[in-house]
């Protein structure tokens, strides 16, 4: 017979009552909460830099193919904003404070802020930033493992969108680059 699921419900209820101020954080949470908050705040900085870069590129894109590319930059900026919101909410759930301090933003960000002089340069630098984000988020997901499944799943959702962004940008680059 397979191993059956058993739990001492009374002990679970007792633990739940004993630390109600901890909110969602129970004894089942195995990650180093302070380190997770620090890592997520680095991701917050990265997302803010990406939002700013995409928005700048949206307004500054010029040329024959600028309309559809600029529109895609705006879509990406809005999706990066969603990532920022998810990360900030999770930091707050963990008892931390999302760090939006502009003075340390670029030091904490994994991505560079790049305006670009041409639409091709903008696409390339956004693609580089997305590829960096993909690698960093993949590493964080591996690092978390099963110690913080909620954060891991959120990052997996963000990773999926970052991969879609990279794919979009790679396709745009093929369309606008001189043959």
């Amino acid at each position: 017979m397979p191993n059956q699921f058993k739990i001492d419900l009374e002990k679970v209820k007792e633990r739940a009552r004993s630390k109600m101020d901890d909110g969602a954080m129970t004894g089942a949470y195995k990650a180093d909460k302070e380190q997770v908050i620090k890592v997520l705040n680095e991701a917050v900085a990265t997302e803010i830099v990406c939002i700013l870069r995409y928005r700048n590129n949206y307004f500054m894109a010029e040329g024959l193919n600028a309309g559809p590319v600029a529109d895609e930059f705006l879509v990406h900026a809005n999706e990066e904003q969603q990532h920022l919101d998810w990360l900030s909410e999770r930091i707050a759930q963990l008892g931390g404070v999302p760090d939006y301090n502009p003075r340390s933003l670029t030091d904490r960000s994994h991505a560079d802020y790049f305006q670009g002089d041409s639409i091709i340069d903008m696409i390339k630098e956004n693609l580089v930033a997305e590829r960096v984000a993909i690698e960093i988020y993949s590493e964080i997901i591996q690092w978390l493992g099963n110690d913080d499944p909620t954060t891991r799943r959120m990052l997996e959702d963000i990773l999926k969108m970052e991969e879609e962004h990279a794919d979009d940008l790679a396709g745009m680059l093929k369309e606008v680059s001189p043959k």
Side-chain angles (χ1 to χ4, degrees):
M1 176 176 254
N3 190 12
Q4 293 184 346
F5 179 77
K6 293 181 184 179
I7 193 158
D8 185 337
L9 185 57
E10 290 308 311
K11 281 189 179 182
V12 170
K13 288 178 181 179
E14 182 181 313
R15 284 192 304 269
R17 282 181 175 64
S18 72
K19 295 186 179 186
M20 292 193 315
D21 289 344
D22 290 347
M25 308 296 14
T26 69
Y29 187 84
K30 302 296 184 208
D32 178 341
K33 186 171 66 166
E34 297 309 314
Q35 185 64 28
V36 171
I37 291 168
K38 179 185 177 294
V39 168
L40 293 181
N41 264 319
E42 291 171 0
V44 160
T46 303
E47 295 295 342
I48 292 170
V49 167
C50 289
I51 292 164
L52 295 173
R53 187 185 58 253
Y54 273 126
R55 288 210 178 269
N56 173 272
N57 292 174
Y58 167 72
F59 289 109
M60 299 309 296
E62 297 177 333
L64 188 59
N65 297 312
V69 172
D71 290 345
E72 194 64 28
F73 288 161
L74 184 58
V75 167
H76 288 198
N78 292 335
E79 289 174 349
E80 301 295 350
Q81 179 66 53
Q82 183 179 37
H83 302 166
L84 174 61
D85 293 346
W86 290 345
L87 291 161
S88 298
E89 179 180 28
R90 185 60 181 157
I91 290 168
Q93 287 172 347
L94 293 172
V97 176
D99 187 351
Y100 288 35
N101 186 339
R103 291 178 196 245
S104 63
L105 202 58
T106 55
D107 292 336
R108 292 180 289 116
S109 174
H110 303 129
D112 295 325
Y113 180 82
F114 182 84
Q115 287 185 197
D117 293 327
S118 72
I119 200 160
I120 291 173
D121 288 342
M122 291 175 190
I123 294 169
K124 284 180 180 178
E125 288 303 316
N126 283 313
L127 181 53
V128 167
E130 294 294 354
R131 291 174 51 81
V132 167
I134 289 166
E135 193 161 331
I136 298 291
Y137 282 129
S138 295
E139 290 291 326
I140 298 169
I141 289 164
Q142 292 295 320
W143 172 68
L144 285 171
N146 291 321
D147 291 346
D148 183 342
T150 301
T151 301
R152 186 193 70 236
R153 283 192 306 273
M154 176 197 65
L155 292 174
E156 287 169 346
D157 289 342
I158 293 172
L159 175 61
K160 179 182 178 199
M161 293 174 79
E162 302 294 14
E163 289 173 344
E164 290 170 1
H165 292 174
D167 191 48
D168 291 344
L169 291 163
M172 281 188 258
L173 192 58
K174 287 178 186 171
E175 287 181 27
V176 300
S177 290
K179 303 288 182 221

